[in-house]
Amino acid sequence: VAKSQGRDQIQYYSASTDLQSFKHFNLSNDLRKALDKKEFFLMYMPRVDSQTTKIVGVEALIRWTHPEWGLISPAEFIPIAEETGLIVPIGEWVLREACRQNKSWQDQGFKPITTSVNFSVKQLIRPNILQTIDNIIEETGIAAGQLEIEITESSFISNEFEVTQLLSELKKRNIKVSLDDFGTGYSSLYLLKQLTLDTLKIDRSFVEEILTDSVNRSIIQCILTLAKELDMNVVAEGVETAEQYALLKELQCDEIQGYYFSRPLHVEAFAKLLRDNNMT
Ligand code: C2E
Ligand code: MG
Ligand code: MG
Ligand code: MG
């Protein structure tokens, strides 16, 4: 019995692996067409000031409605987009759409907020990336100071020189840069010294256990002290409960992002949130 069970397990495992690779294969094919077929859209997740709970910014998060598989999360297709190079046109679409939407909210009379856009390293190291960013800013009319580019620590691993150069160009334009998922990478402290960053986004994994794990709490306190010293803004990601929020507020973490305030929203729902929060 044990043996046949074992075999079943193996069969099940290999069947699911086949399905995985089949899906992966199909996704990479379908991803090629998804831009033309307008299957992508953005969700918007607010960032709030922890002391006042005022909305200060929004993160644009991509979604893909696949014709057969339905809604696919970026965790699933962004890695494929990176492997295939499709991240370059997809990322450009995200940036353009996010900037256009920011300008549109402002034209509708909402108070200015910052829009942050996630960038993959493959996008950052394209030789013409600055030109692309400049064009999109000009084309959409967003104020450069209202655009924030989110990068991760892993972006620097083999590309420190290119990325450092790019960041200094972005700074000249007053475009903000944040380090996403901070604390999960390899060279955090070294990077903070090397780079001119505006914002640190503390990874959700630290926030998750902030109440139960005193080490995590100490790490967050250290990050906050250091960021203050270096004149950086700190955002806590993944805040889900009132207790987590209360503690982060007490610790003077500048901004909060998480399900406690809002899940990522469709564009209309985000506009409603702005209205409900007197952002007009
Ligand atoms: P990220 O940039 O760290 O974005 C935050 C992710 O955490 C989002 O997932 C968001 O929905 C989720 N999140 C935020 N607060 C909470 C919370 O309180 N609880 C829980 N359980 N989750 C929370 P999402 O939208 O699935 O995005 C996942 C990742 O995919 C992003 O992580 C980012 O790395 C990547 N991504 C999303 N959009 C883009 C894009 O346009 N371009 C690129 N290159 N990557 C993107
Ligand atoms: Mg992000
Ligand atoms: Mg993050
Ligand atoms: Mg993340």
Side-chain angles (χ1 to χ4, degrees):
V1 175
K3 201 175 172 189
S4 80
Q5 252 179 8
R7 202 162 53 219
D8 280 353
Q9 265 171 7
I10 288 166
Q11 272 171 356
Y12 171 72
Y13 179 72
S14 70
S16 86
T17 307
D18 283 350
L19 182 63
Q20 280 308 118
S21 54
F22 172 74
K23 196 175 171 189
H24 187 287
F25 173 73
N26 269 284
L27 286 185
S28 51
N29 272 334
D30 297 344
L31 207 49
R32 263 172 246 288
K33 304 171 216 143
L35 261 183
D36 282 341
K37 293 170 74 187
K38 300 191 170 20
E39 290 168 357
F40 295 116
F41 65 97
L42 297 182
M43 298 282 276
Y44 296 93
M45 189 172 196
R47 249 161 76 168
V48 307
D49 179 300
S50 67
Q51 302 306 318
T52 63
T53 74
K54 228 176 74 98
I55 298 169
V56 288
V58 61
E59 180 172 7
L61 296 160
I62 194 171
R63 297 289 180 268
W64 180 17
T65 316
H66 187 280
E68 290 157 67
W69 305 97
L71 200 63
I72 302 187
S73 108
E76 194 164 359
F77 71 83
I78 291 290
I80 303 174
E82 286 170 347
E83 273 168 43
T84 54
L86 289 165
I87 191 65
V88 172
I90 294 171
E92 190 174 327
W93 176 83
V94 172
L95 181 63
R96 181 174 289 107
E97 181 62 16
C99 290
R100 192 196 57 71
Q101 191 55 61
N102 180 299
K103 180 65 164 56
S104 163
W105 284 321
Q106 214 155 309
D107 291 346
Q108 290 166 51
F110 292 114
K111 288 177 188 147
I113 55 174
T114 299
T115 290
S116 29
V117 176
N118 295 285
F119 266 57
S120 295
V121 61
K122 278 228 172 139
Q123 288 174 270
L124 289 174
I125 61 173
R126 292 279 291 189
N128 57 354
I129 181 66
L130 261 177
Q131 193 60 57
T132 303
I133 295 171
D134 286 342
N135 289 346
I136 290 177
I137 288 177
E138 162 134 24
E139 201 184 289
T140 59
I142 188 180
Q146 278 168 248
L147 174 61
E148 183 167 278
I149 287 175
E150 297 198 358
I151 62 182
T152 56
E153 290 158 277
S154 59
S155 303
F156 297 93
I157 288 177
S158 332
N159 314 284
E160 197 183 317
F161 179 74
E162 292 93 321
V163 176
T164 308
Q165 295 274 70
L166 176 65
L167 295 202
S168 75
E169 285 299 321
L170 296 176
K171 192 169 187 72
K172 282 185 202 158
R173 291 157 171 76
N174 197 30
I175 298 169
K176 306 284 179 289
V177 177
S178 63
L179 197 56
D180 205 354
D181 305 338
F182 182 71
T184 59
Y186 299 97
S187 47
S188 320
L189 294 177
Y190 168 73
L191 282 179
L192 293 191
K193 188 174 157 259
Q194 290 307 99
L195 301 171
T196 49
L197 297 160
D198 301 280
T199 304
L200 289 184
K201 297 188 80 170
I202 301 178
D203 193 66
R204 185 149 67 87
S205 56
F206 292 110
V207 174
E208 213 168 5
E209 289 173 15
I210 190 177
L211 294 155
T212 50
D213 182 339
S214 63
V215 174
N216 271 10
R217 187 188 310 199
S218 304
I219 291 173
I220 290 186
Q221 269 171 315
C222 282
I223 296 174
L224 289 166
T225 307
L226 188 66
K228 195 168 236 171
E229 203 67 40
L230 298 174
D231 205 21
M232 280 185 284
N233 199 32
V234 181
V235 181
E237 281 196 292
V239 178
E240 295 188 352
T241 69
E243 292 77 16
Q244 289 168 341
Y245 165 58
L247 180 54
L248 287 158
K249 182 182 177 186
E250 187 192 314
L251 294 175
Q252 313 264 332
C253 179
D254 304 289
E255 293 172 30
I256 302 293
Q257 186 178 341
Y259 291 178
Y260 177 64
F261 284 99
S262 171
R263 294 197 170 235
L265 300 172
H266 285 280
V267 62
E268 308 81 25
F270 189 79
K272 182 177 185 303
L273 186 77
L274 289 177
R275 272 192 294 277
D276 294 348
N277 282 270
N278 297 316
M279 294 290 290
T280 44

